[in-house]
Amino acid sequence: MKSDLMDQLPRPQREAVESAGYRLMRWMAAREVLQARVTKGRIAGALGDFLTHWLALAPAHEAGEELWLSFDQAPDQLKLGGGSATLATSALEHALLHLPALRSFWSQELRQQHFDALRALVPQAWLLDAASVPPGAVIQGLGTVSWEQTQRTLGQGWEIQDTQGRVREDWPLALSARDCIMTLRKPAAVKLSARYVRNDKDQVVLRTIEEASP
């Protein structure tokens, strides 16, 4: 491990990097539980139908033989930028983690401390759907009452991509297709690459960290 690089990070960011590998593995286990519940029909109603549709579009989960993660680091924040695990790279999975309707599920399966830490680390994303926002409600994390208002408010600060990672620019088509995810454009940041291994106690721990090319 490059201790000098870790020492340069604010303490909350150091702790986030050190724990990210472990928390991602917890997230992966919780995600398998969610998949099983939806497959077995244990989540009923509109939420069950919604999840059945979107989970069918999710990529296969893989972590790779050696877990590595990348981070976008700025003085005031640290965000997950990618990695060898599908959960780290998939905007759809990021949107599911931030989905308000799943908050109680993630809190229970991950435990609140780890859920809060992952929400702070994982970039927000939104599953685009033509269904209207209920009266009196707003789109979580955006504060807007419709996708049309979101488009006007964010201007060019957003990006839409389908589940294959292809960028889309037509909002109405993206909404009707129900296969697109909206993300916010990332500000310029330092790129960090971290590798994790399992120690002799089978714990996922940070092995190395270094600056990476943009």
Side-chain angles (χ1 to χ4, degrees), residues 5 11 24 26 41 63-64 68 89 94 100 115-116 130 148-149 157 160 174 185 198 205 214:
L5 180 55
R11 181 176 177 180
L24 187 134
R26 289 187 66 103
W68 67 270
T89 60
H94 297 176
F115 177 44
D116 290 342
E148 291 74 16
Q149 185 186 47
I160 296 174
R185 296 188 188 279
R198 289 188 180 274
V205 296

Side-chain angles (χ1 to χ4, degrees), residues 115-175:
F115 177 44
D116 290 342
L118 281 169
R119 280 199 301 169
L121 184 65
V122 175
Q124 276 202 279
W126 295 263
L127 303 172
L128 294 183
D129 196 294
S132 300
V133 178
V138 297
I139 299 173
Q140 181 69 27
L142 297 173
T144 54
V145 298
S146 68
W147 291 116
E148 291 74 16
Q149 185 186 47
T150 299
Q151 180 183 9
R152 295 193 301 270
T153 301
L154 293 182
Q156 298 301 311
W158 49 267
E159 182 173 271
I160 296 174
Q161 56 182 269
D162 63 18
T163 53
Q164 304 302 313
R166 295 183 292 257
V167 175
R168 301 282 188 86
E169 296 184 356
D170 189 318
W171 273 83
L173 184 60
L175 288 170

Side-chain angles (χ1 to χ4, degrees), residues 27-106:
W27 181 14
M28 187 176 296
R31 178 62 175 78
E32 290 177 358
V33 173
L34 177 64
Q35 185 70 56
R37 290 188 184 180
V38 172
T39 300
K40 294 177 181 179
R42 293 180 178 174
I43 301 179
L47 178 59
D49 293 340
F50 181 88
L51 292 174
T52 297
H53 170 79
W54 284 101
L55 265 58
L57 300 178
H61 290 173
E62 296 179 358
E65 293 184 4
E66 183 180 45
L67 177 61
W68 67 270
L69 300 173
S70 65
F71 303 93
D72 298 315
Q73 190 268 332
D76 60 340
Q77 68 173 5
L78 181 81
K79 291 295 182 182
L80 184 65
S84 60
T86 303
L87 291 180
T89 60
S90 170
L92 190 155
E93 296 294 352
H94 297 176
L96 289 172
L97 182 72
H98 288 284
L99 191 68
L102 289 178
R103 188 170 295 166
S104 61
F105 169 81
W106 294 124

